Amino acid sequence: MAGAPSPSAPGGPEPPPQPLQYSLLLQHLVGEQRRPRAWDPAALGGIPSPPKSEEQKMVERAMESCAFKAVLACVGGFVLGGAFGVFTAGIDTNVGFDPKDPYRTPTAKEVLKDMGQRGISYAKNFAIVGAMFSCTECVVESYRGKSDWKNSVISGCITGGAIGFRAGLKAGVIGCGGFAAFSAAIDYYLR
């Protein structure tokens, strides 16, 4: 079989081979001529979202603030405490009990009044504890600059110690340890 004719003139020298384009490719990918590309999540297949307006950024900053978190925890604690107080009063056998006449059956009005009083009492206590815990956790997180389990343990100790300290130093230490352990358990369970 005869060899294929070369593309150059018959009988003339062959042209030199083209240089490899690796060096040019590397200059564009890694070298001086590399152009940084803007990161666009939409290009990766995500849902495109428009840039946030100043109003949206302001609302996000407000919702991330310690004051908003404390108010939210206060309202949530009030609602939860009220429900818990009404529930415990509903299953308590001493609701509407009159020590002067132990055999008298309490009326529905007396039972509802006692349930309301207990619900309000629990609601106030839960609201105070919720606001204290949320506020101290936010302050501790801001101070430490980290968001981890230690923040809830520290704020639990501060909150429990402050609540227990009203009854004395020993009660404050026990409250600190108990509330810190409870906070650690809840944080471990939720994360």
Side-chain angles (χ1 to χ4, degrees):
M1 272 187 138
S6 70
S8 64
E14 289 190 21
Q18 293 291 328
L20 289 177
Q21 300 296 320
Y22 273 136
S23 60
L24 297 175
L25 182 65
L26 285 176
Q27 284 179 356
H28 283 284
L29 292 177
V30 183
E32 300 282 328
Q33 296 177 0
R34 182 179 146 232
R35 284 178 263 154
R37 199 168 66 180
W39 186 75
D40 184 16
L44 300 174
I47 299 173
S49 60
K52 295 179 182 174
S53 66
E54 288 301 317
E55 291 84 14
Q56 289 173 324
K57 291 178 185 177
M58 184 178 70
V59 168
E60 281 184 0
R61 281 192 301 268
M63 291 180 76
E64 293 286 328
S65 70
C66 291
F68 181 78
K69 289 179 182 179
V71 168
L72 189 65
C74 184
V75 170
F78 189 85
V79 170
L80 184 66
F84 188 70
V86 168
F87 174 74
T88 57
I91 61 172
D92 189 6
T93 57
N94 291 330
V95 172
F97 177 74
D98 186 12
K100 295 176 187 171
D101 188 11
Y103 296 109
R104 186 179 73 78
T105 303
T107 64
K109 185 177 182 180
E110 292 171 340
V111 171
L112 290 174
K113 180 180 176 186
D114 196 30
M115 288 173 73
Q117 288 174 344
R118 191 178 297 188
I120 292 294
S121 174
Y122 275 55
K124 286 192 261 183
N125 290 336
F126 274 54
I128 290 169
V129 170
M132 282 177 65
F133 180 80
S134 177
C135 193
T136 55
E137 184 177 31
C138 188
V139 168
V140 167
E141 183 177 327
S142 298
Y143 178 75
R144 292 186 66 230
K146 296 178 186 177
S147 179
D148 58 1
W149 62 273
K150 293 177 185 176
N151 295 340
S152 62
V153 171
I154 293 169
S155 60
C157 180
I158 293 169
T159 303
I163 292 170
F165 191 66
R166 295 185 299 175
L169 181 62
K170 184 178 179 182
V173 170
I174 292 171
C176 172
F179 216 101
F182 180 72
S183 299
I186 293 297
D187 198 71
Y188 175 77
Y189 178 74
L190 291 178
R191 289 186 195 221

